[in-house]
Amino acid sequence: MTSPSLDTALKRSRDPALRSWVESANDPDTDFPIQNLPFGRFRRATDTDDCIGVAIGDQVLDLQRARLIDSNDMNRLMASGRAVREALRVAISSGLAAGSASQAEWQASGALLAQSDAQMSLPCQIGDYTDFYSGIHHARTVGKLFRPENPLLPNYKWVPVGYHGRASSIRVSGHSFFRPRGQTMAAGASTPTFGPSQRLDYELELGAIIAVPNAPGDPVSIEEAEDHLFGFTLLNDWSARDIQAWEYQPLGPFLSKNFATTLSPWIVTLEALQPFRVPFLRPAADPAPLPYLDSAGNRARGAIDITLEVWLQTAAMQQAGMPAERLSRSNYRDAYWTVAQLIAHHTVNGCNLCSGDLLGTGTLSGPAPQQAGSLLELSDGGKHALQLANGESRTFLHDGDTIILRGYCEREGMRRIGFGACAGTLVAAR
């Protein structure tokens, strides 16, 4: 439990009136004001190992050079628990606040580095990756494409459905990847063919990063679930829809998903997200969750108001100097399952989660058609092409396309905070 003095200091760290001596952090449009302070790993041009940093405006604060930590082991820091993270947040906030005595020391020690000069890495070492299906609007829309009479399977409103993904192919924002090859079965055909996927898609998701591990055989209760969570990133679960359609029954996604996943470099902590917590609500006619997936706290504040956007920059746009075009906007508060429910369900059978494990939310679409978090939904399964402002159109992704995910939280009377960009570029198959 947080002590009263620490709780007061944490509230002060989110005070919308708080300003930083890092002037770019005071820009109302920055993703990284002093009220945010997300964690990540980076390297200077002269570094051989990753350093732990915190984003502040257009700068990165090197926590070891600022003498706030004694090790650059991010997973160890996360595993140290909530109290350590909260105390560290307070120390960082105090040191970066306008008028702080730390300004001269941190500038002299080279603790600040421009983000443009930092080479970002994955924010932690990821050992395991589980992808869930908690976006009910995505599940229902995709279900209608394949099962018009029964879009949601009977277990959807009872079980947080998930599958085990591939951690080795997760890359940090800014990377490119090859169009995957695999087997597909054309409509009306009796024999599959092999070749590059023709229906390459993105999926707009959040990634939840596990902080404190649980022992094998020791389930995490829903009341304690968020004590095991460090924070959230943006996540793009690239999907080869034609390969997926042929392979996904009976065991689920495999080659259609494991070729690439993109993660944003900054973990926005639960402490920064507290002002944006909202009640977790379900339709009154839906079944109540089983007891292990339900709590008063989860009902009162289990959801988080995070606006999510998908942007596309085609190769032609880039060559013409045109900016990316927004394709959709949705919100995490519309998810059918909260992160606490995902953690409780993942561990209820005794499964042990480890520090750095990644849980994907699943595609976070909204209730309106234009709020879809994938091209599969926006194009109605490829039947209707999206018309772009430069005259191009898309049903699925073309080689050279860059997808950029963005996320941010806004609330009247509070500072806007953001997640930075999560960008990846598709290149031609080898």
Side-chain angles (χ1 to χ4, degrees), residues 114-187:
Q115 288 188 35
S116 58
D117 293 332
Q119 177 183 330
M120 300 307 298
S121 303
L122 287 173
C124 63
Q125 183 176 343
I126 299 170
D128 271 304
Y129 165 39
T130 302
D131 199 25
F132 284 92
Y133 203 40
S134 62
I136 190 170
H137 301 294
H138 171 75
R140 185 179 284 121
T141 301
V142 172
K144 285 179 181 177
L145 293 175
F146 301 106
R147 301 179 302 276
E149 303 303 319
N150 186 28
L152 287 183
L153 294 175
N155 66 348
Y156 187 86
K157 294 183 179 181
W158 294 98
V159 178
V161 177
Y163 72 94
H164 193 200
R166 183 75 183 174
S168 65
S169 54
I170 299 173
R171 297 287 183 268
V172 74
S173 175
H175 77 121
S176 59
F177 64 97
F178 295 105
R179 181 181 292 272
R181 296 175 181 268
Q183 285 191 29
T184 58
M185 178 69 86

Side-chain angles (χ1 to χ4, degrees), residues 10-88:
L10 285 170
K11 289 179 180 177
R12 189 182 305 120
S13 75
R14 296 187 288 265
D15 184 344
L18 189 63
R19 294 178 64 83
S20 175
W21 51 263
V22 179
E23 195 54 43
S24 59
N26 302 319
D27 185 335
D29 294 325
T30 183
D31 274 356
F32 308 122
I34 194 171
Q35 291 80 5
N36 192 348
L37 304 180
F39 286 73
R41 295 193 301 172
F42 73 98
R43 294 185 186 187
R44 295 175 178 80
T46 56
D47 289 339
T48 56
D49 297 313
D50 287 329
C51 304
I52 297 177
V54 162
I56 179 72
D58 60 6
Q59 304 289 302
V60 183
L61 177 69
D62 185 326
L63 297 190
Q64 192 169 55
R65 288 200 181 193
R67 298 196 293 182
L68 292 170
I69 57 173
D70 59 9
S71 167
N72 277 314
D73 187 334
M74 186 67 175
N75 291 61
R76 191 181 86 174
L77 172 62
M78 295 192 301
S80 62
R82 180 175 178 174
V84 170
R85 183 178 74 240
E86 289 176 339
L88 180 56

Side-chain angles (χ1 to χ4, degrees), residues 61-319:
L61 177 69
D62 185 326
L63 297 190
Q64 192 169 55
R65 288 200 181 193
R67 298 196 293 182
L68 292 170
I69 57 173
D70 59 9
S71 167
N72 277 314
D73 187 334
M74 186 67 175
N75 291 61
R76 191 181 86 174
L77 172 62
M78 295 192 301
S80 62
R82 180 175 178 174
V84 170
R85 183 178 74 240
E86 289 176 339
L88 180 56
R89 174 182 172 86
V90 168
I92 296 168
S93 177
S94 176
L96 287 171
S100 170
S102 298
Q103 177 176 355
E105 176 190 345
W106 288 357
Q107 288 177 326
S109 67
L112 278 178
L113 177 72
Q115 288 188 35
S116 58
D117 293 332
Q119 177 183 330
M120 300 307 298
S121 303
L122 287 173
C124 63
Q125 183 176 343
I126 299 170
D128 271 304
Y129 165 39
T130 302
D131 199 25
F132 284 92
Y133 203 40
S134 62
I136 190 170
H137 301 294
H138 171 75
R140 185 179 284 121
T141 301
V142 172
K144 285 179 181 177
L145 293 175
F146 301 106
R147 301 179 302 276
E149 303 303 319
N150 186 28
L152 287 183
L153 294 175
N155 66 348
Y156 187 86
K157 294 183 179 181
W158 294 98
V159 178
V161 177
Y163 72 94
H164 193 200
R166 183 75 183 174
S168 65
S169 54
I170 299 173
R171 297 287 183 268
V172 74
S173 175
H175 77 121
S176 59
F177 64 97
F178 295 105
R179 181 181 292 272
R181 296 175 181 268
Q183 285 191 29
T184 58
M185 178 69 86
S190 58
T191 303
T193 58
F194 178 82
S197 168
Q198 299 303 308
R199 294 165 67 92
L200 208 290
D201 201 359
Y202 59 82
E203 289 192 341
L204 169 64
E205 303 193 26
L206 286 170
I209 306 291
I210 296 298
V212 179
N214 63 299
D218 186 13
V220 176
S221 71
I222 191 168
E223 292 85 359
E224 298 175 338
E226 290 191 6
D227 289 339
H228 292 259
L229 181 67
F230 194 81
F232 290 89
T233 67
L234 299 172
L235 186 154
N236 189 337
D237 181 32
W238 305 97
S239 300
R241 300 300 188 187
D242 42 2
I243 297 173
Q244 183 178 3
W246 174 232
E247 74 175 2
Y248 86 105
Q249 298 186 50
L251 293 181
F254 181 38
L255 297 185
S256 58
K257 298 277 192 176
N258 69 2
F259 57 93
T261 302
T262 308
L263 205 64
S264 56
W266 299 109
I267 308 174
V268 177
T269 65
L270 288 178
E271 288 72 36
L273 292 168
Q274 285 307 309
F276 309 101
R277 304 301 295 257
V278 292
F280 170 61
L281 304 173
R282 280 188 176 177
D286 283 8
L290 294 181
Y292 79 96
L293 293 172
D294 189 30
S295 73
N298 191 62
R299 292 192 299 273
R301 288 173 58 80
I304 311 176
D305 186 358
I306 304 174
T307 299
L308 299 165
E309 297 180 345
V310 181
W311 295 73
L312 167 65
Q313 186 180 46
T314 69
M317 290 176 182
Q318 187 175 27
Q319 291 167 4

